[in-house]
Each structure stands twice: as C-alpha cells, then as structure tokens.
C-alpha cells in the first residue's frame, strides 16, 4: 500500500508543481465562472423563497459548487493530459516507467482534485456569508472530494479517448455543456417531466448536485443515499475504463 501511494505521488508530482507555479492564474480561472454563475442565476434571474423553504441563493450555491467541481476537475485533468499526450509526448514516456496502472490513473487525477477543491471551497465559503441557511459539514466535504475525483476520472477518460483538441471540444459540447445547465444545478430536477428526469438521473452531475445540496441544507432536505452510492459507481466505472484504455494502450 505504501509503495502504491508512493507511485501515485511520483505521477502527481509534476502536475502539482505545475499548479504551484501557476497558482494565481489557476485560482482566477477556477473561481471566475462560478462567481459569474452565482451573480447571474442567484441574483439576476430569481429572488425569493423556493419550495423547500430557503432562498434561491441558498438553493443554487450548492449546485454551483457541484458545477465548479465538474468544470475545474474535468478541464484541468483533460487539458493537461491532452497536451502531454499529443504534443510533449511526456505521457508516453511515463508509461515506460515501472508504475502500476492504478497509480497512473489516480496520480493523473490529483491535479483535477486539488484544483476542484480550491474553487469549490472558495465559492462555498463565500456562499456561507451570502446565505446563512447553508452549513458546512463532513458530509459536504466528503461529497465535494468524491465529486472532484469522479470528474477528474471522467476528464482522464476523455483525454485518453481524444485524438485531437477538436475531439475534446466535441466531447465538451456533447457531454459537459449539457450537464452544466440541465443537471439540477440551477433548478430542481423533480420539477421536470418524468422522461427528462430519467435522462438526467443517468448523468453524474445530477447526483453530485443532489448530494451537495442535501449536505449543505440538512434541515430542509434528506440526504440522497442512492445518489451518494451512484457517485461511487460512476467513479468506479470511469476508473475501470481508464485502466482498460491504459492496459490496451489505446492512447
């Protein structure tokens, strides 16, 4: 186990150094979009109280945190790996090192995890001051960490499947962009017709939004344990797909 964790550290070391040397730029990129979403949707479009008895700002902030976990974790992992694979070829050199495939998968996701946690934590601390109904708990922190890991694994999968930057743009347009606006980040999925609910419950961001919102508003919402379990399922599926792509050298 210690040797495995050491391998994960070796793989992640270069990406963490990259984060350290570009921290200010990454911090600005991580928090700017969520803040704009908060201003536009939280204050610009709706006011008043929602059907669960909290202000719309309190309702939407956990959803934006979930959205931030997806955007920051997915984009940092997928973009970094895409550049390393297609241009610098450094990822191919790393594959020649005596490292386990599982350590490579987890190590390459550390950048997305750290960047996602930075953006989400900053936004949620700001949100607590804006909406007193919100609470910070261990359950919220755990859901945030799991969401960042899940979307980092999704970003790695997209990078391994992509053959060019254009392929990544297509994936973003077909998968990431629809999840941004449809997965319960700005509205309740239960308010939609049953057909659309069934579709949205097949997407990981929906379950991330449900878990984070329930963990942030425990007095108003019961925790969705099924969605919590599905976050593990999605993460495990993405992890196994990444292992398969690495072992079959489909990179």
């Amino acid at each position: 186990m210690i040797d495995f964790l050491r391998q994960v550290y070796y793989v992640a070391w270069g990406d963490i150094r990259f984060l350290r040397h570009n921290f200010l730029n990454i911090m600005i990129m991580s928090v700017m979009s969520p803040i704009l979403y908060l201003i536009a949707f939280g204050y610009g479009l709706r006011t008043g109280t929602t059907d669960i008895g909290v202000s719309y700002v309190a309702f939407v902030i956990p959803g934006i945190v979930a959205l931030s976990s997806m955007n920051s974790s997915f984009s940092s992992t997928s973009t970094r790996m895409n550049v390393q694979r297609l241009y610098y070829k450094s990822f191919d050199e790393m594959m020649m090192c005596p490292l386990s495939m599982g350590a490579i998968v987890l190590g390459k996701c550390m950048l997305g995890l750290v960047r996602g946690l930075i953006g989400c934590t900053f936004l949620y601390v700001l949100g607590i001051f804006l909406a007193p109904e919100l609470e910070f708990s261990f359950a919220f922190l755990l859901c945030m960490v799991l969401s960042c890991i899940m979307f980092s694994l999704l970003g790695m999968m997209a990078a391994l499947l992509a053959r060019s930057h254009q392929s990544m743009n297509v994936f973003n347009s077909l998968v990431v962009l629809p999840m941004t606006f449809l997965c319960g980040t700005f509205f309740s999925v239960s308010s939609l017709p049953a057909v659309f609910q069934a579709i949205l419950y097949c997407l990981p961001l929906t379950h991330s939004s449900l878990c984070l919102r329930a963990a942030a508003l425990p007095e108003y919402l019961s925790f969705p344990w099924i969605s919590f379990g599905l976050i593990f399922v999605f993460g495990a599926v993405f992890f196994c797909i990444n292992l398969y792509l690495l072992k079959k050298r489909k990179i």
Side-chain angles (χ1 to χ4, degrees):
M1 184 64 180
I2 299 299
D3 183 63
F4 178 80
L5 294 177
R6 187 181 295 112
Q7 292 183 34
V8 172
Y9 171 76
Y10 292 154
V11 174
W13 184 82
D15 293 334
I16 299 303
R17 294 285 294 182
F18 169 80
L19 175 65
R20 178 182 176 183
H21 287 291
N22 298 274
F23 182 79
L24 181 60
N25 292 333
I26 290 175
M27 183 67 179
I28 293 173
M29 290 187 296
S30 298
V31 303
M32 185 55 65
S33 293
I35 290 176
L36 292 177
Y37 282 128
L38 176 61
I39 295 173
F41 289 92
Y43 291 100
L45 295 184
R46 286 190 58 177
T47 58
T49 304
T50 61
D51 55 358
I52 63 173
V54 298
S55 65
Y56 183 71
V57 173
F59 176 86
V60 80
I61 286 175
I64 297 178
V65 171
L67 177 60
S68 179
S69 72
M70 180 185 72
N71 287 338
S72 296
S73 301
F74 177 89
S75 62
S76 56
T77 301
S78 60
T79 302
R80 179 80 171 158
M81 279 197 59
N82 215 24
V83 171
Q84 291 176 338
R85 283 185 56 243
L86 300 178
Y87 292 94
Y88 295 124
K89 304 298 182 181
S90 58
F91 188 79
D92 296 338
E93 295 176 359
M94 185 186 65
M95 290 291 295
M96 299 172 63
C97 299
L99 299 167
S100 69
M101 296 299 177
I104 293 176
V105 173
L106 291 181
K108 297 307 294 182
C109 291
M110 289 300 103
L111 176 62
L113 171 61
V114 174
R115 180 179 170 183
L117 289 178
I118 291 173
C120 292
T121 302
F122 176 86
L123 177 64
Y124 197 68
V125 170
L126 176 63
I128 290 177
F129 288 100
L130 298 176
E133 304 99 320
L134 297 175
E135 297 183 14
F136 189 86
S137 62
F138 175 76
F140 185 88
L141 178 62
L142 179 61
C143 291
M144 191 166 60
V145 170
L146 293 176
S147 294
C148 291
I149 293 175
M150 175 179 64
F151 290 118
S152 294
L153 291 169
L154 178 62
M156 182 176 183
M157 185 185 75
L160 291 174
L161 291 172
R163 298 302 177 184
S164 64
H165 280 305
Q166 288 72 25
S167 299
M168 283 300 306
N169 292 333
V170 171
F171 189 92
N172 286 330
S173 298
L174 294 179
V175 179
V176 177
L177 185 60
M179 284 200 293
T180 298
F181 295 99
L182 299 178
C183 288
T185 50
F186 305 113
F187 57 88
S188 176
V189 175
S190 60
S191 63
L192 297 176
V195 175
F196 293 105
Q197 289 187 41
I199 295 173
L200 295 183
Y201 280 126
C202 295
L203 302 176
L205 184 58
T206 301
H207 302 285
S208 179
S209 299
L210 290 173
C211 290
L212 286 169
R213 183 168 289 124
L217 299 167
E219 296 184 6
Y220 303 91
L221 295 169
S222 58
F223 192 79
W225 291 104
I226 294 178
S227 293
F228 184 74
L230 286 173
I231 292 178
F232 277 98
V233 172
F234 277 113
V237 170
F238 297 151
F239 181 84
C240 292
I241 293 175
N242 288 328
L243 280 181
Y244 172 79
L245 293 174
L246 291 180
K247 290 180 179 180
K248 295 300 181 180
R249 296 298 193 273
K250 295 183 180 295
I251 59 174

